[in-house]
Every structure is written in structure tokens, then in C-alpha cells.
Amino acid sequence: MVAFGSCCGFLLASANIPDDLPDIQPAFTSHIYDIKGNEIAVVHAEEDREPVTDDKIPANLKKAFLATEDVRFYEHIGIDYRGVMRAIWENITHHTVAEGGSTITQQLARNAYLTQDRTFKRKIQEMFLALKIEHRHTKDEILVMYLNQIYFGRGVYGVQAAAKYYFNKNVEDLNLNECAMLAGIPKSPNEYSPLNNLEESQKRKGVVLHQMAKYGYITLSTAQKTANEEIHLVQPVAKKVGGEHYFIDYVKQIIIEKYGDEGLYKGGLKIYTTIDMDMQQAAERAMQELPEMNEVNGVKQPQGALVAIDPQTGYIKAMVGGRGTDMFNRAALAERQPGSAFKPFVFAAALESGYTPDTTVADTPLKGYAWSPQNYDRSYNGNVPLRYVCEQSLNVATVKVAEDVGMDKVLKYARDMGISTLVMEGDKNDNNLAAALGGITRGVTPLELTGAYCTFANKGLYVKQTPVVKVMDRDGNVLEEYPNPNASKRLLKEETASQLDSMLQGVVSRGTGTRANIGGHVAGKTGTTSDYHDAWFVGYVPDLVVGVWVGCDNNQTMGTMTGGTLPADIWRIFMKGTGH
């Protein structure tokens, strides 16, 4: 019955394919809009593509693709029946349409003539087109067409454009190390692009080299040696479209994760985002307060990030990921030590465990531990209320509170509020008292830390942050929409949130964050790491939460900068620039 249905589908699909193969399906431009419906970016359908002839493509690059994509390419007729049977088995066992079993010829047919839909009809069409392509072209011609067609992420198509984009080389000049790296990208361009995730792309390169050795294209020793070689990348200069390019790039990555590269670059999507351009411009002006120390790899230091989020909706209203001169979005990607900006999670856990802002805590030397934290001014204050501990950011008293309530509870609140970078397993993990002071294994991103503070501002209700309001396809059909974005979830009792809010207001009115005081209901927390590597201020008014981070890409010290100085100043300037 399955065979009969597949046969009927094959005949039906083939009847709709003309003898003369059509031109490659045109790409449709996608558009990105701000919160008011104004267009802020166009994802051009034009592709970065530069076809090359067979003699320009290195043998190692061809072998790398054959080893990873279709080792029987020169033996089959366009369809590898072994792969097809394996894919069918995956379809049956997983009750879905698998992508396995596609030969290089089938991939060429799909990329050139079909959509990326995962349907049986498309799979049958792909197979039929592959047979036609094989009938009209030699194997070498097909391989060259494929290598000129394949997608390498970031709008780059074909091996020549990829070689120029990632290594600033012509394809014929690539070495084995670079060939293996490129061959690993197309499986998942977003995940394996070395400019997105160098660690994962290096692992993927090792897989490619292993496959090349497995099938006799290179020796095992060569594979092992090359797998350990460093890769020398060219960091492309950001195409400056205004300071909002960090936000736009962030939205692009979100869309790629949901709809694929083809959906973004060829699908003609209409993407309505949460960004408020007035707030965005205010953020860019505020970040001009960054001083100039030196340069690291040609990029001015220190760098900074600013994120503004509506706590009731989770809408990201503004995002600055650096000085605007490179492509690394520090707001969404930089994992930095939060220092004392992590302490509110300790205070939230304490309040939920029965503490009040007036509960007395002993700010006295911590004894019986190999690790002995100290307060910023190296003094002790004796018995003080929890409110004072928060306002003055006392380290020793905070550690004692964390020990009392349990770090597992503290970390749970942080995770529930959106901090995804905590390490909970292994020999080196974050379930220790140092984490109470922000000394965590990986660090946090400004986006996630700001998003977590939204729960404090939203009376204990968590709403996941989002950069997108609505996505429509090119025909006007709504693919996703957030009229009431992501259902809220209560993480803190309203009383707890009110008490914590009162404590955080004290930080701004008479504690370490007074330079952020703009009058009215203002709450927040400063954060400064050891040796002054990172400085934070995350604060809020009832309708907006804003996080500011300042630090150097290479973790060098910033003199005596604390979270209560420049980050608080930038926060204040931004808020006044928005009319708060």
C-alpha cells in the first residue's frame, strides 16, 4: 500500500514537471518593520554568489563534500537507493519526513528548482528532477553546479563567495584545513558558520576530516593533524545600516532558526518587530558616552551593550550590541560575569523563604571556609537589615543569606527567569556560594540578565522576551503572532516582588546606584566584577527595564570603573532621552 501510494505520488509529481527544466525559482525579498510598522531593513533577494569553473575548485574541497554529503556520487544514477531506504525507515519510525537519503544531485535539484518544504510530494519531485539532471549532465558538471549553488550562511552561496567571505581567498587557494571547514557548514549554516560558533564549526570540521580519512581521501594522521590546526578567519565589517543593525541581525538569527535560511533570504517574509526606533536612537546616543582606552583586533575598547525591554509584554524595545564597528552582538551573545547584579536572585530566594527587608543579617567575617569573600571597602558593618545589604551591595552578608536559603534555590530562580548559561553539572558547576556574588562559570548575556529583571518589575510575573510581534509569508498569511506575547508565569509571590522592588529602589535612592536616579519609581542594581573587568547597571521604571554593560572584549581591567559610575550614567542618559 505504501509502495503503491509512493508510485502514484511519483507519477503525479512527474506529470507537473516539464521536459525543459525551468530557470531557477526566483527569490523573494523579505522585509523587517519596527513596532510602528515602518520598514527598517530589507533582506535582499540578491545573493552573494560568484560561480567558478571546475579547474578552480581544489580537489580537497570536492573530496570533502563527497565524503560528507554523498560518497557514492560517482556510482549512483542521481538517487542512492540505499539512502532512500534508510530515509523511508526514518520516516516510518519517527512518523515524519526525514531529510536523509538526498544525493548531491537531489540537493542541487531542490536548491535550484524546489522549495524547502518537508513533504513527500517535494521529495518525489526532487528525485525525478535528479534523474533528469543526471541524464543531461556529466557527474563532474553536476558536482561543479552543486558547489556553485550550495548555501554557506549569511547570504553567501557557492564555494568562491564562501572562500572570499570567510578567508578572503579565492577558492583555488584554500588549504585542506579551510576546505574541511567550508564543507562542514552547509549541513546547518547557522550552527556551523565559524563566525557564529567557532567551537561547533571546529568540531564539525573534525567530522569532515574523519569522513575523508574513512573513505581514503586523506590519511588518518593527516586528518588528526589538520583537525587540531587553528583556522584563520576574516571578520567581515558590519554593513552599517544604523545602530539598529545589532537588533536586525538578532532578528535574522531568530527567523533562520524557525524558518531556515531559505525562508529568510528567499521567502519574501514580512517580519514585524518590537523595536521602537525613538528608543533605539536614544540608546545609541547614550552609548556614545563610552570612553576610548585602546583597540583589540582593530576594535575600540571598552565595548558596551544596552537592552531595553517592556516587562509586561517582553517586547525588546531597543538593543545596542557594541560601538557599531563590528558584527559581534554583545547584547545577545557576550557571556560576561554579572558580579553583584546577580544578587537580586539571592534576595528573591530569601524573601520567598521567609526573610523580610528588615530581617537582620550579620555582616561579619566568614569563618571556616577556604574562600573568604570581602566587602568592596574591606570593612564590616555588624548586624544590618537585608535592605541595607542590598543597597550597599555587601558581599559577606549576601553569601551568608545564600548559604542559609540554599544556592540550589537561588539558581532555580535565576534559571526560571531566563538565565540559560548556568552550569549545573560536572566538576566545575555553579552550585556554590561564589555564584551568589556573580562568580559563575560561563557568565550571562546582557539580554538574558535584563530579561530576568523584568520579573522583578512585573510584580513577580515572568514573560519571555521577544523581538518579533508577527511574521507573515509573501502571500499575507500570518505564520506567527503575539497579540498577548507568551503567557505570563508567576515565579514570585506578589508580596515578594513588592518587597524586592522596595529594596532595589533603595539601591538607587541611597545605595550604590544613586547616579541612575531620575526621580519617581526607579529601582535597580549595580554590578562590578573583580579587577574591574565588567561593570553593570540593570534598572527599571514600571514600564521599562534597561540593562547596561561595559567591558573589554579581552577582559582587561577598566581602572576603577564600577556599575554605579558609567553604566548608571548611561542608563540615566538613555532614560531621560526616552522621556522618562
Side-chain angles (χ1 to χ4, degrees):
M1 196 69 175
V2 173
F4 177 77
S6 297
C7 181
C8 290
F10 183 92
L11 293 173
L12 176 63
S14 64
N16 293 326
I17 298 175
D19 290 333
D20 294 328
L21 293 180
D23 292 334
I24 293 176
Q25 190 178 70
F28 292 86
T29 300
S30 293
H31 300 264
I32 301 177
Y33 304 91
D34 68 9
I35 191 67
K36 297 177 181 177
N38 300 313
E39 185 178 277
I40 57 172
V42 174
V43 184
H44 290 289
E46 297 99 41
E47 300 163 355
D48 185 356
R49 188 197 304 273
E50 187 178 344
V52 288
T53 55
D54 189 9
D55 60 307
K56 298 292 187 181
I57 303 175
N60 275 332
L61 188 58
K62 296 177 183 177
K63 292 172 182 177
F65 272 96
L66 292 172
T68 53
E69 298 292 336
D70 188 359
V71 72
R72 298 184 65 249
F73 173 71
Y74 283 98
E75 301 171 24
H76 58 64
I77 60 171
I79 302 171
D80 185 351
Y81 291 103
R82 297 181 192 174
V84 171
M85 294 306 295
R86 184 170 59 251
I88 290 174
W89 177 250
E90 287 293 315
N91 294 341
I92 294 171
T93 56
H94 293 91
H95 305 290
T96 186
V97 180
E99 284 298 314
S102 290
T103 64
I104 279 177
T105 314
Q106 286 175 261
Q107 292 181 53
L108 175 63
R110 178 172 71 245
N111 291 334
Y113 300 108
L114 301 172
T115 69
Q116 300 297 312
D117 296 337
R118 293 189 175 190
T119 63
F120 284 107
K121 179 180 178 181
R122 193 226 68 196
K123 195 72 176 177
I124 296 299
Q125 289 175 321
E126 174 188 299
M127 294 167 65
F128 188 82
L129 282 167
L131 294 174
K132 281 199 167 188
I133 291 172
E134 290 271 349
H135 180 70
R136 294 184 178 190
H137 299 279
T138 67
K139 285 288 189 179
D140 288 341
E141 288 172 342
I142 293 169
L143 182 58
V144 172
M145 286 190 291
Y146 167 79
L147 293 174
N148 279 317
Q149 183 82 20
I150 198 71
Y151 182 60
F152 289 90
R154 297 189 172 213
V156 177
Y157 291 79
V159 291
Q160 169 65 8
K164 295 290 288 185
Y165 187 84
Y166 288 107
F167 307 117
N168 196 27
K169 289 183 175 183
N170 289 315
V171 68
E172 62 263 34
D173 298 324
L174 296 179
N175 57 36
L176 175 60
N177 189 23
E178 294 159 343
C179 287
M181 177 68 78
L182 285 190
I185 295 174
K187 179 178 175 64
S188 180
N190 188 42
E191 180 179 2
Y192 294 127
S193 166
L195 294 176
N196 290 350
N197 193 328
L198 182 58
E199 182 179 354
E200 287 302 314
S201 64
Q202 287 278 32
K203 292 178 183 177
R204 176 67 180 159
K205 180 190 77 174
V207 172
V208 172
L209 291 164
H210 173 77
Q211 290 293 102
M212 293 180 74
K214 176 180 177 180
Y215 293 114
Y217 292 126
I218 58 176
T219 64
L220 182 60
S221 61
T222 297
Q224 293 171 337
K225 175 178 177 293
T226 309
N228 293 322
E229 289 179 3
E230 290 187 13
I231 201 82
H232 300 289
L233 301 168
V234 176
Q235 181 68 252
V237 176
K239 295 179 181 178
K240 185 78 184 226
V241 294
E244 71 274 11
H245 78 267
Y246 290 112
F247 178 82
I248 291 170
D249 287 345
Y250 176 64
V251 169
K252 286 180 181 179
Q253 293 304 316
I254 296 293
I255 296 299
I256 287 172
E257 289 173 6
K258 291 185 177 180
Y259 302 103
D261 300 294
E262 296 287 323
L264 176 65
Y265 289 105
K266 294 185 177 183
L269 299 176
K270 289 179 171 53
I271 305 156
Y272 294 87
T273 73
T274 60
I275 191 171
D276 181 315
M277 291 305 296
D278 292 333
M279 284 193 183
Q280 178 65 29
Q281 291 166 9
E284 293 167 29
R285 290 193 298 269
M287 292 299 283
Q288 291 175 3
E289 296 295 315
L290 289 173
E292 293 188 12
M293 291 171 47
N294 58 0
E295 291 189 357
V296 175
N297 296 324
V299 179
K300 290 181 181 179
Q301 304 298 323
Q303 285 289 332
L306 185 152
V307 181
I309 304 175
D310 183 326
Q312 280 81 44
T313 63
Y315 285 177
I316 300 171
K317 310 293 283 187
M319 175 184 285
V320 178
R323 289 179 179 266
T325 55
D326 67 353
M327 296 185 71
F328 183 60
N329 185 352
R330 293 159 187 83
L333 299 174
E335 296 178 357
R336 306 291 299 210
Q337 294 298 314
S340 295
F342 196 81
K343 288 177 181 176
F345 301 117
V346 176
F347 303 140
L351 293 169
E352 285 281 301
S353 300
Y355 279 66
T356 73
D358 297 321
T359 298
T360 299
V361 182
D363 183 39
T364 55
L366 195 65
K367 298 179 180 179
Y369 294 86
W371 172 62
S372 181
Q374 293 181 314
N375 292 324
Y376 180 77
D377 62 1
R378 303 296 190 268
S379 67
Y380 298 95
N381 297 272
N383 292 329
V384 291
L386 184 64
R387 180 188 304 278
Y388 187 84
V389 175
C390 176
E391 292 174 357
Q392 302 303 319
S393 199
L394 302 180
N395 291 332
V396 178
T398 300
V399 169
K400 290 184 177 181
V401 173
E403 183 180 34
D404 183 41
V405 302
M407 277 304 300
D408 54 343
K409 190 169 187 177
V410 173
L411 297 176
K412 182 181 186 304
Y413 281 114
R415 292 199 311 275
D416 289 348
M417 293 179 198
I419 305 298
S420 66
T421 51
L422 296 173
V423 178
M424 302 306 298
E425 298 179 349
D427 294 335
K428 187 177 182 181
N429 63 68
D430 292 324
N431 195 3
N432 59 74
L433 291 174
L437 305 181
I440 57 180
T441 306
R442 289 175 53 186
V444 298
T445 66
L447 176 59
E448 288 195 350
L449 188 59
T450 306
Y453 272 57
C454 287
T455 301
F456 307 147
N458 198 27
K459 300 180 180 180
L461 291 172
Y462 167 78
V463 179
K464 184 178 180 181
Q465 65 266 15
T466 177
V468 174
V469 177
K470 180 171 63 176
V471 179
M472 300 172 68
D473 67 15
R474 63 175 178 259
D475 297 320
N477 300 309
V478 177
L479 302 179
E480 60 178 293
E481 189 171 15
Y482 299 103
N484 295 301
N486 305 300
S488 61
K489 178 182 179 182
R490 178 158 296 284
L491 296 181
L492 300 175
K493 295 191 292 285
E494 191 166 350
E495 180 185 9
T496 296
S498 177
Q499 291 174 330
L500 181 58
D501 176 70
S502 173
M503 291 165 58
L504 294 175
Q505 286 188 63
V507 172
V508 176
S509 61
R510 55 184 173 272
T512 59
T514 54
R515 285 167 69 161
N517 197 342
I518 57 174
H521 187 139
V522 184
K525 186 70 187 74
T526 56
T528 309
T529 60
S530 299
D531 300 323
Y532 303 99
H533 291 162
D534 300 270
W536 300 76
F537 184 78
V538 187
Y540 60 87
V541 293
D543 64 342
L544 194 66
V545 180
V546 181
V548 177
W549 164 82
V550 179
C552 295
D553 289 335
N554 64 349
N555 275 319
Q556 71 188 75
T557 184
M558 295 184 295
T560 58
M561 185 188 298
T562 67
T565 57
L566 181 61
D569 289 338
I570 291 174
W571 190 94
R572 184 188 70 253
I573 292 168
F574 167 73
M575 294 300 288
K576 287 189 173 182
T578 64
H580 283 86

